[in-house]
Amino acid sequence: MGAPARVAAKLEFSAARDGTAHGLCLWFETQLLGDIGYSSGPGGAATIYGQILLPWLDPVAVSEGQEIQVKLRADLVGQDYIWSWNTIILARDGVPLTHFQQSTFQGANFSPDSLRRQALDYAPLLSEAAQADLWMLGRMDGSASLQVIAQSAAERFPRLFSSWREAFRRAADLSREFSR
C-alpha cells in the first residue's frame, strides 16, 4: 500500500509580507506519535523528502494580506506524479487580479520510447544498471558483507562504478530496501 494515485486540495492563504512571489513551494510534514515527527519544510533538517517548487508563469507583486487561492492536484502516472495548480491572486476588493492554470504535464516523460517500454507486447531487456542491481541482490544471501559485494560489483561493472565505495552506496541502498 502506498500513496494515493490521485490527490487534490483547495488552498486559501494570504501573503505574509509585501514582495514579489514566483510560485508555490510545497513540502512534507508529519506527526507520527506524540512529539515524534519530521518536516522537509524550509529551515528544517534535511530529509529524504525534498521540497517542490511550482512556479508561476510570471512573477507577481503581492501585498501583505493579499489573498491567494490555489486548486492543487497530483495524479500518479507510472511512478511519478503529474502536478497541476490553478492559482488565482485576488485584488484587495476580492476581484481576481491574476490567474495561472499550469501543469507539469508538458515536462513529463511521455516520449514514444518511454511509452513503447510500457506496452503489453514489449519484451524488455535489462540495462547494465539493472543487471548490476540484480547481480548484487543475488549475492545478498547472508554469506557476504556489503563491502565484499561492493568490491566485486566494482570489478564486474567498472563502467557503472568508478570505485568500490560508489558500488557500496548502491549496494547499501538495495540492502536497505530489500534485505531482512
Side-chain angles (χ1 to χ4, degrees):
M1 185 167 127
R6 179 169 293 137
V7 294
K10 230 177 163 176
L11 312 170
E12 293 185 12
F13 52 94
S14 300
R17 63 180 180 270
D18 294 352
T20 302
H22 295 271
L24 307 167
C25 182
L26 308 177
W27 58 86
F28 181 87
E29 286 190 14
T30 186
Q31 185 83 27
L32 299 172
L33 179 67
D35 292 345
I36 301 170
Y38 54 93
S39 169
S40 65
T47 69
I48 61 171
Y49 304 101
Q51 300 169 4
I52 182 172
L53 174 66
L54 302 177
W56 292 331
L57 295 172
D58 297 304
V60 177
V62 294
S63 301
E64 182 178 346
Q66 189 168 9
E67 191 176 338
I68 300 168
Q69 299 173 346
V70 180
K71 288 182 183 173
L72 183 64
R73 184 172 155 169
D75 296 287
L76 187 62
V77 177
Q79 294 184 352
D80 292 315
Y81 281 94
I82 301 294
W83 291 87
S84 59
W85 58 108
N86 185 355
T87 307
I88 298 173
I89 301 171
L90 302 172
R92 289 272 180 210
D93 59 4
V95 174
L97 182 67
T98 306
H99 180 227
F100 299 117
Q101 196 165 358
Q102 297 169 261
S103 171
T104 58
F105 180 75
Q106 293 294 340
N109 185 11
F110 291 119
S111 67
D113 189 51
S114 72
L115 292 173
R116 179 181 59 83
R117 291 180 189 188
Q118 298 174 55
L120 286 172
D121 61 347
Y122 180 70
L125 182 63
L126 291 179
S127 67
E128 187 177 15
Q131 290 174 22
D133 285 356
L134 185 61
W135 185 88
M136 285 190 277
L137 286 167
R139 267 100 204 123
M140 292 183 187
D141 60 3
S143 65
S145 69
L146 286 178
Q147 182 177 357
V148 169
I149 293 170
Q151 288 170 333
S152 298
E155 291 173 13
R156 186 174 182 95
F157 300 96
R159 289 185 345 171
L160 290 177
F161 307 115
S162 60
S163 69
W164 76 266
R165 291 184 192 286
E166 190 176 335
F168 174 77
R169 283 192 287 278
R170 183 62 188 146
D173 288 344
L174 291 169
S175 176
R176 182 175 49 250
E177 186 168 351
F178 299 111
S179 69
R180 53 185 161 116

